[in-house]
Amino acid sequence: MTTTAPARCDLLIIGAGPAGMAAALAAAESGMRIVVVDDNPAPGGQIWRNGPGVQLPPLARQHREGLARHANIEVLSGTRVVGLGDRANTGDAAALILENATRGWTQHASRLILCTGARELLLPFPGWTLPGVTGAGGLQALIKAGLDVRGQRIVIAGTGPLLLAAASTARKAGAQVLRVAEHTSWGALAAFAAQLVRWPAKAWQAPTLLRPSLRANAHVLEALGNTQVEAVRLQRGSRTEQLECERIACGFGLVPNTHLGQMLGCTLGERHGLQVDAGMRTTVPGIYAAGECTGFGGSERALVQGAMAGHAAAGEADAAQALQNQLARWNAFADALHRHFPLRAETLAALPRPDTFVCRCEDVAHGVLRQRSNWIDAKLHTRCGMGACQGRICGAAAQVLYGWTPQPARHLLSPARIATLADAGGKPSHESATQT
């Protein structure tokens, strides 16, 4: 693994989670010169994140070791995509401006695979900006990075299997999980559990995650405290309960990271992910996509899609086609997740008060935003979405709260150093990095 890359490669893979790792390993035998870019310190993505107290599963170690064995794979950790560069050759995929801690450059490639994953859907409620409130997946990441939660009282709320996984991580780290408030109903949970026999590994795992603290048909109402979380109010059916706690972790599902794909001109498909065909090709020639950015469905699905994309990008259509049955199996699991953990937007959209911040970067409140007509109108009049996260958090929330569709960036994906744009050459954008 290196910290520099050639200005040109045969295959550029964005994201080193399960999908990106599988894509690189599948394409490696072809002899293609492959560059894998990821902004984390090491490959693995969110699910295989490294940390002081983390013991990586055998499959994760196997993939990392596989990347290290192949001389034609270069992994650029701590590197991110900041924008579009000038295409060098007519037949190339789009050129991307990359940036790490020391430099920026334009990376050219014949083929491009997007494995940009997904992020948590965070929805605003009174008190959600208090220190001690995080996403459910965010809590997992913090604990893996070394956060000491021993003895802390934690409440986890939202919807989806990630809640139980976060609760399990917190318990193993010594925390006291008081409540897991699952928004979906007991009936939907039971129906989902009954289908797990189709995926034995999932069925075997499920009982280890269940605990008496689980409550269905429940959701967060308010985080209480002055300078730090002190308690939480929950709605459970027709009742409310208040629990004293030190931490609250809320996650309302996952949102595919499609910003880069949309900036490149790729079309969105079902469930707001990038649209791909049976060979993992997007609607833009030379660009493939795999994993959660095509719609979330778990790491197993991401691994299969990544392998298919790698084979397809290497011109190995038969090898990609041979994985179709595996993909169909895990697509069925993804369908079950979406069917049994629906987001009841009408309930969650009623949570914020007029003074509840929706855009945390620019301190824009719900009462101000609901007077605007659409996303562009809100940006022009309130600076919503113009802060450090570039609308990734508030943009997804605005879709649930107001039905708005945030517009994709045109040239720059995230704030970048002036030196990066200068070193990249060409004319990356006339816009500032906070106006995309």
Side-chain angles (χ1 to χ4, degrees):
M1 299 183 187
T2 79
T3 56
T4 61
R8 179 175 181 80
C9 60
D10 299 315
L11 177 61
L12 177 62
I13 300 173
I14 307 300
M21 297 168 86
L25 293 176
E29 298 301 328
S30 69
M32 300 177 83
R33 190 168 194 181
I34 302 166
V35 171
V36 183
V37 172
D38 194 90
D39 58 0
N40 289 304
Q46 299 303 318
I47 191 168
W48 289 340
R49 177 183 287 272
N50 238 354
V54 176
Q55 184 174 359
L56 289 174
L59 190 59
R61 294 197 301 271
Q62 176 186 331
H63 278 72
R64 284 193 179 186
E65 291 164 3
L67 293 179
R69 276 198 310 271
H70 287 89
N72 59 326
I73 298 177
E74 298 193 51
V75 179
L76 305 182
S77 298
T79 304
R80 59 179 183 154
V81 179
V82 297
L84 296 181
D86 289 335
R87 198 189 308 259
N89 301 316
T90 304
D92 283 354
L96 299 179
I97 302 174
L98 306 183
E99 180 182 82
N100 60 23
T102 60
R103 71 186 188 102
W105 71 99
T106 299
Q107 184 69 47
H108 301 278
S110 301
R111 297 286 181 270
L112 177 63
I113 303 180
L114 304 178
C115 303
T116 48
R119 63 191 184 278
E120 282 189 276
L121 173 60
L122 304 176
L123 296 177
F125 55 87
W128 80 304
T129 57
L130 280 171
V133 180
T134 65
L139 176 64
Q140 271 194 309
L142 287 169
I143 293 173
K144 290 179 180 180
L147 177 69
D148 187 359
V149 296
R150 286 174 296 179
Q152 293 188 1
R153 297 167 297 178
I154 297 178
V155 172
I156 298 174
T159 189
L162 180 59
L163 303 187
L164 295 177
S168 177
T169 299
R171 288 191 193 96
K172 290 176 182 176
Q176 180 185 1
V177 179
L178 303 179
R179 184 76 69 241
V180 177
E182 168 58 60
H183 195 201
T184 199
S185 67
W186 282 118
L189 287 177
F192 177 71
Q195 293 189 37
L196 288 181
V197 294
R198 299 169 60 188
W199 307 280
K202 298 292 185 183
W204 181 262
Q205 181 187 35
T208 67
L209 299 177
L210 295 175
R211 290 293 187 278
S213 58
L214 176 64
R215 299 290 186 275
N217 197 29
H219 63 269
V220 66
L221 286 177
E222 182 179 10
L224 304 172
N226 294 315
T227 60
Q228 171 72 31
V229 167
E230 298 171 9
V232 62
R233 288 179 60 236
L234 301 171
Q235 183 79 40
R236 288 177 50 199
S238 59
R239 300 169 48 201
T240 61
E241 67 173 343
Q242 183 168 314
L243 300 171
E244 294 183 354
C245 60
E246 284 75 47
R247 289 190 179 276
I248 304 168
C250 291
F252 297 94
L254 298 176
V255 180
N257 284 324
T258 62
H259 289 78
L260 176 56
Q262 288 180 274
M263 188 171 70
L264 294 169
C266 302
T267 300
L268 295 184
E270 59 180 15
R271 297 172 185 151
H272 307 293
L274 296 176
Q275 181 178 320
V276 292
D277 63 13
M280 298 297 110
R281 301 174 187 83
T282 69
T283 53
V284 177
I287 300 179
Y288 302 75
E292 306 287 68
C293 66
T294 68
F296 73 88
S299 60
E300 296 88 353
R301 176 177 176 271
L303 285 167
V304 176
Q305 282 194 324
M308 293 178 67
H311 284 306
E316 301 164 352
D318 290 343
Q321 181 64 30
L323 296 171
Q324 283 290 347
N325 288 341
Q326 289 187 46
L327 179 59
R329 181 167 175 260
W330 291 112
N331 277 341
F333 179 71
D335 291 340
L337 285 175
H338 286 273
R339 187 164 57 250
H340 297 296
F341 294 96
L343 190 69
R344 288 186 273 173
E346 67 283 354
T347 300
L348 301 176
L351 293 181
R353 297 170 183 160
D355 62 347
T356 302
F357 287 147
V358 175
C359 177
R360 301 176 61 157
C361 297
E362 298 292 331
D363 292 348
V364 185
H366 173 55
V368 174
L369 286 175
R370 65 185 180 184
Q371 299 176 37
R372 312 314 326 168
S373 58
N374 55 52
W375 179 249
I376 297 299
D377 182 39
K379 290 182 72 173
L380 289 173
H381 289 89
T382 71
R383 289 191 56 82
C384 179
M386 309 251 316
C389 87
Q390 292 289 276
R392 286 166 176 77
I393 303 301
C394 58
Q399 284 189 288
V400 176
L401 296 177
Y402 318 116
W404 298 344
T405 302
Q407 297 299 307
R410 288 184 292 167
H411 301 287
L412 290 178
L413 192 64
S414 63
R417 298 189 298 265
I418 296 298
T420 291
L421 303 183
D423 291 343
K427 300 176 181 179
S429 177
H430 66 279
E431 299 176 286
S432 73
T434 57
Q435 291 181 321
T436 57

